[in-house]
Amino acid sequence: MSSLSRELVFLILQFLDEEKFKETVHKLEQESGFYFNMKYFEEQVQSGEWDEVERYLSGFTKVDDNRYSMKIFFEIRKQKYLEALDKQDRARAVEILVKDLKVFSSFNEELYKEITQLLTLDNFRENEQLSKYGDTKSARNIMLLELKKLIEANPLFREKLTFPTLKASRLRTLINQSLNWQHQLCKNPRPNPDIKTLFVDHTCQPPNGTRAAPPPNNPLVGGLPKGGAFPSLGTHSPFQPAAPPSATSLAGWMANSNTPAPHPAVAPGSATLAGPPNPGPLLKRPRTPPINATAMDYQSADSEHLLKRSRPVMQTVDEVNYAGSSLPQSSDDLPKMLARTLNQGSCVMSMDFHPVQQTILLVGTNVGEIGIWEVGSKERLTQRAFKVWDISVCSMPMQAALVKDPVVAVNRTMWSPDGTLLGVAFSKHIVHLYSYHLGGDLRPHREIDAHIGSVNDIAFSHPNKQLSIITCGDDKTIKVWDASTGHKQYTFEGHDAAVYSVCPHHKENIQFIFSTAVDGKIKAWLYDHLGSRVDYDAPGHWCTTMAYSADGTRLFSCGTSKEGESFLVEWNESEGAIKRAYSGFRKRSSNVVQFDTTKNRFLAAGDEFLIKFWDMDNASVLTSTDAEGGLPASPRLRFNKEGSLLAVTTNDNGIKILCNSDGLRLLRTFESRAFEGGKLFIDASVTSKTTGVTQPVAVSAPSGPIVGALPPAGSIAATNGVDSNQALEAKPRVVDETNERGKNWKLTEINDHGQCRTIRLPDTLPASKVSRLIYTNSGVAILALASNAVHKLWKWQRNERNMSGKASASIAPQLWQPSSGILMTNDISETNPEEAVPCIALSKNDSYVMSASGGKISLFNMMTFKVMTTFMPPPPAATFLAFHPQDNNIIAIGMEDSTIQIYNVQVDEVKSKLKGHSKKISGLAFSNALNVLVSSGADSQVIVWSIDGWEKRRTKAIQIPAGRGSPSATGDTKVQFHNDHIRLLVVHETQLAIYDASKLERVRQWVPRDPFTSTLSAATYSCDSQLVYAGFSDGSVGVMDGESLLPRCRVAPSAYISQGIGSANIYPLVIAVHPSESLQFALGLSDGSVQVLEPLETEGKWGTGPSSDNGAVVSTPSSSAVGNQNSEQAAR
C-alpha cells in the first residue's frame, strides 16, 4: 500500500472516531494493521474480553512470529486459565488448557505440565509461584503492565503505537478544499451554492437554467439576507466572501437579526415579545468538538446541508486575534493577596458580588442559608434560613420531597444586573426572589415552584426588554419567568438528562440561551417555541458551566468528567468547535471544578487546593495561589465586577477575600463607610427589639405555614404525653430506685454556643443525611457514611495548637481525600441508597473499612479509598456489620432477611447462618468476657448466641413502656456492651435499658420524660462507659449517667445548630464517641452535617452526677472497649 493510501486510512480513522463509530474504528485498526490502539487494548484486557483481545492482536502479530509475540499470547491465555480455576469452572479450564495452552507445550513441555497440575489443587494459590495471586482485577492489572512492556519491545509494533499528529477533522478540511476548487472552476459561480452530494463534481446551474433557486423559506437554506445589512460573525465558509453567514448556522441565527423566520413563531400568552430570527436546522448528528480543534467547515451528509459561511478562497482557519490580545498580561493585576477571612458557618455552595456595590457579597450554603456580607468591614449584614413562604404555591411533589428529606441546599445565588433583586435556586423545586435594599435589608419578592427535583442554576436576562429569570433543573427543562410577576413565559424541552447550567447572552439584538446537561450535551435556544438550535458535546461529557468574557466577545466553558478529568476551553461559537483548551489541571478532581472570568483577560479555576489563573490567550497556567492555605480540593470562587476582589471558599466553612492593589484600596475606602452603615443597622435592630417591631433579620412569611415545622422524614412519632411514672409502673423494681436517687437532682441545661465547645466539620461535598458515624481507633479522624452511599473522612492535623493530633471541638479538621481525588462510594447497583440500611465496620488498625449501602459489601483501603474487594451481593442486603473480637477475618453480618451470616473474608465463605429474628438485623455486639454474640432486630428482639458453636442461648423481647405503643410494638433496636462486657446497653425509640447479658435480665430502664419529650433517635456509651450520650428527634442531646441512666445534662439544638436553621427538621441520626476522650462525642445530623461537642474546659464535665454516693467508678478506656466500638459504634 502506498504511503498516501496509508495516510488516507489514518484520515478515515480520525473521521470515524470523531463521528463515534467506535466498533468500526477498531475493526479498521485491526484489519489495516497500521495503528495499535493501546487504550482500547487495555480496556478489553481489564474487562476480560479475551476473544476480542486475541482478535485485535491478530491484526498485528501471530503466536509464533517472535519470542515477544509468543510471550504476549501465553500471558493472556494463562490469565484466562487461572480465572477459570478461580471460579472453580474446571470444565472451562480444561478446555483452555487443551485448545489455547497446548500450543506452548512444544516450546516448554515442563511449563505446560506444571500448568496442568494446577487442576489437581483445590486452590491454585497453593502453588508457591502463585501464592501471591490476588483477586481477578489486580491480577489483570499486573499482567497488563507486563503486556505493555512486551508490546513496546516487539519490533512488529514499531511505529504502530503512536497516531500521527493531525489537525482536527482533516478529512473534512480536504473535502472543503476540493469543493472550494470545484466552485472556482464553475462557469457561472453563484453565492451560497446548494451542495447536496459529494458523489459527483460540483457545478453551479446558470441563473436561467432549469433548476430554480431555492425558496427563501426553505428551512435547509434560510432566507437570503440583504447584503451589508449586518456585520458578519462567521467568515469561515469555503465560498464567496461577499455573502454574510447563512441563517442555517449557529453564527447565522446570532447574526442575521432581520432574516425572516421560515415559520411564524407564536408564543401563547407572550404577544408582546419580539419575533425570533430565522432558526437554523437541527444538527442531526451532533459532533464532539475535539480538544484543540480548529474551525470545521464541512458537515456530514446526514445534516442534509452544508454550512454556508463566507470565507475568502485563500483564507486560512487560524485562530482569530482579538482586540487587546497583544497587550502585556501581568499576573500583578490578579487578586492574590489575602485581605479578609469570613466565617460563614456552613459549607458555601455559591457566591456572587453585587454588580454596583463592589464589596457586597451574596452567599448560599449547603444547609439552605443565604447571607450578605460587607467584605470591607467583615460584617454579615443579613442571613436567611430556608423557609417556604407560602405553602399554597407548592406542588404536592415538592411537599412530599420536603417531608421525606428536609435537607435543602442552595445550588446557586445571583444578583440581577442592577442589583435590586437576588435569586436563589434550591436543591428542591423552589426559587426565591428577594428585593434588596441598602443596609442588607432583604424582602421576599417572589416564590416560584420552578422544577420537579433540584433547581440547578438560575440567571437573569432581558429577552423582551423586561427582566426575566431563567431556571433549569433535574426535570430536563429550562424555564423563563417574569421576574416581576413570577409568571412563566417559556419552557424549553429537548435535553435527555438533568440540565446543569444556563448561560444567557445576546449578539446585537438577538437574545439566546446556552444550556448544558449532565450527559454533556450543550444546546442553544432562542426565545421561541421552535426547539434548540444547536446540539454539541462538551468535553468530559458531564457537568459543565459556560460563561462569556465581560465584553461578551469570547465564550468559555469549564467542566469535569465522571472520571474526574477537568476541561477549561474557549469556544469558537460560530463554528461550535473548541478554539483553545487550557492545561494545568490535576488528573482527577473529586468535585466539579468551578471557574470565572475577569477583565476580558484572565480565567481562574479552583483545583488541587489552589486557585489557578490563565491568560485567555495562553493555554498554560499563568500563576496560582493557595490563599495562605486552608482551601478545599476544588474551591469555589467569584470575582467582583472590576476583577479587583476574588472570593474563595475554604475547607472550614469560611470565605477568603483575595485582592490586588486596586482591591486593597477599595476595601479601605469602603471599610469605614461600611462600618458606619453596619453600626446604624445594628442600632436599628436593637431599637426594633425594644419597640416590638419585627427585626430586619427575620423573614416574614407572606402566608401559609412554614415547612420547617413539619416533622422530620423518617422520625419516630412523638410520645403521647403520658407521664413517665405511669410508663414505668410495669417494672417498679427498676424505676423506683432511679426515681428516688434523682429526686433532688437538678439537670444542667446547655442552650447556646457559649456554654460548650462545638464545631461543625467542614464539608464541600453534596449534603446528604448522615447514616453512620465512627471515630477511628487512633482518635485522630472521624468517618461518616452518608445516605447517598458516599463516605467522608475528616482528619485532625498535628500542629502547635493540637500537639496530640487528636480530634477536638476547638480545631477544625480537614475533609481528607487521597491524591487520586476519588470518593469512597459503596456499591449501589440496582438499589436506592436513600432507602437502604447502611452499615459500616472499621478494622482495629484503621487501615480498612467494610461498608455497604444496600448493595454489595465493599472493603476499602482507608489510605487510598480504593475498593479492595466486594462480596455478598444482595438480595438479601447487609444491614449491620461487626468484626469478631479475636479474628479480623471473621465478620458477623446482619441481613435484611432477619438472618445473621458468619462470614470468613479470607476464604470467601459463609461459616454459619443464624436464624431467630423475624425482621431485619439492626444491631450486633461481641462480648469477650462471655464469649457470645448479641443481636437485635427491628422486631424488638434481643438474642444471645454462643461464639463456639453459634447456637442460640437466650431470647428476650424488650418491654414497651405503657402509653408508648402496644406491648407487641416493634422498631429498630441497637445493642452495645459496657466495658465490663457483661452489661449490655439496649436502645429503642421508646427507652434506654441496661441488661445483664449473662442472664439477659434487665437491671435498668429509662423512658423519655420532661424535658426530653421526644423519641430517642440514637444512643451510645462513652468510651469509659461512665456516660451514655442520647439523641432525640427534636434535636436535643441528653448526657446520662452510665450506671443509673439518669440525665446529667441536656444540650439544646440551639447550642450546636447555627442560628437561623434550628428546627424540628434537624436532629441527630447517629452518635459517635471518641475512643479515649470520654467527654467528646460527635453527632451525625439529618441535614448532612457532622458536629463535634465537648464541655467547656472550665467545666470539665457534662453536668453533675445524681449523688456523691451513686457508686460510679471512674475508669480509663480499655482496649476491649475500643474494639467494641469498631463495628458501628455510632450507629446507635
Side-chain angles (χ1 to χ4, degrees), residues 234-249:
T235 58
H236 303 298
S237 172
F239 305 120
Q240 294 288 339
S246 166
T248 57
S249 67

Side-chain angles (χ1 to χ4, degrees), residues 464-482:
N464 54 356
K465 298 184 179 180
Q466 294 181 354
L467 185 65
S468 296
I469 185 168
I470 303 166
T471 65
C472 65
D474 283 354
D475 57 5
K476 308 177 185 178
T477 64
I478 303 102
K479 298 181 182 180
V480 183
W481 314 81
D482 187 307

Side-chain angles (χ1 to χ4, degrees), residues 352-356 362 413-423 433-434 436 459-462 467-468 483:
D352 195 26
F353 275 102
H354 196 278
V356 180
L362 171 64
T413 56
M414 177 173 280
W415 293 103
S416 64
D418 61 359
T420 59
L421 290 177
L422 65 89
L433 292 179
Y434 288 90
Y436 174 73
F460 288 94
S461 69
H462 290 86
L467 185 65
S468 296

Side-chain angles (χ1 to χ4, degrees), residues 97 167 489 531 622 727 946 949 1057 1116 1129:
L97 185 68
K167 287 189 175 181
Q489 296 173 314
L622 176 63
S946 169
I1057 298 177
T1116 56
Q1129 58 157 336

Side-chain angles (χ1 to χ4, degrees), residues 977-998:
F977 271 105
H978 186 280
N979 277 4
D980 62 11
H981 280 231
I982 303 295
R983 284 171 285 183
L984 181 74
L985 177 66
V986 177
V987 182
H988 187 265
E989 61 186 53
T990 63
Q991 62 185 284
L992 295 175
I994 296 176
Y995 283 74
D996 180 343
S998 63

Side-chain angles (χ1 to χ4, degrees), residues 574-716:
S574 297
E575 304 292 339
I578 291 174
K579 170 179 165 50
R580 180 182 286 107
Y582 298 89
S583 61
F585 290 100
R586 68 172 174 172
K587 292 184 178 179
R588 287 191 176 272
S589 300
S590 56
N591 297 313
V592 178
V593 170
Q594 307 293 316
F595 88 115
D596 201 3
T597 73
T598 185
K599 294 187 175 183
N600 302 314
R601 295 170 57 189
F602 298 113
L603 302 167
D607 178 58
E608 211 168 359
F609 306 95
L610 300 169
I611 303 299
K612 299 178 180 178
F613 299 93
W614 289 263
D615 179 332
M616 287 182 177
D617 296 316
N618 193 320
S620 300
V621 174
L622 176 63
T623 186
S624 63
T625 179
D626 65 354
E628 300 187 11
L631 302 186
S634 301
R636 300 175 186 273
L637 70 163
R638 190 71 171 174
F639 287 105
N640 69 346
K641 186 175 182 180
E642 300 300 326
S644 58
L645 300 178
L646 177 63
V648 181
T649 59
T650 66
N651 61 14
D652 58 355
N653 298 333
I655 304 165
K656 289 189 175 184
I657 305 297
L658 309 183
C659 67
N660 58 15
S661 56
D662 292 337
L664 187 59
R665 286 191 292 271
L666 177 67
L667 292 177
R668 288 172 177 171
T669 300
F670 276 82
E671 189 168 4
S672 58
R673 197 185 313 171
F675 176 78
E676 292 300 324
K679 185 174 184 296
L680 291 172
F681 179 65
I682 294 170
D683 291 343
S685 299
V686 174
T687 302
S688 67
K689 290 179 182 179
T690 59
T691 58
V693 180
T694 303
Q695 302 174 44
V697 294
V699 179
S700 58
S703 64
I706 297 172
V707 170
L710 293 171
S715 66
I716 305 165

Side-chain angles (χ1 to χ4, degrees), residues 39 68 92 100 152 257 378 443 627 705 708 941 1103:
K39 181 179 179 181
Y68 297 101
R92 173 62 176 155
D100 296 331
E152 289 168 359
S257 58
K378 299 193 292 185
R443 299 173 189 172
Q941 298 280 329

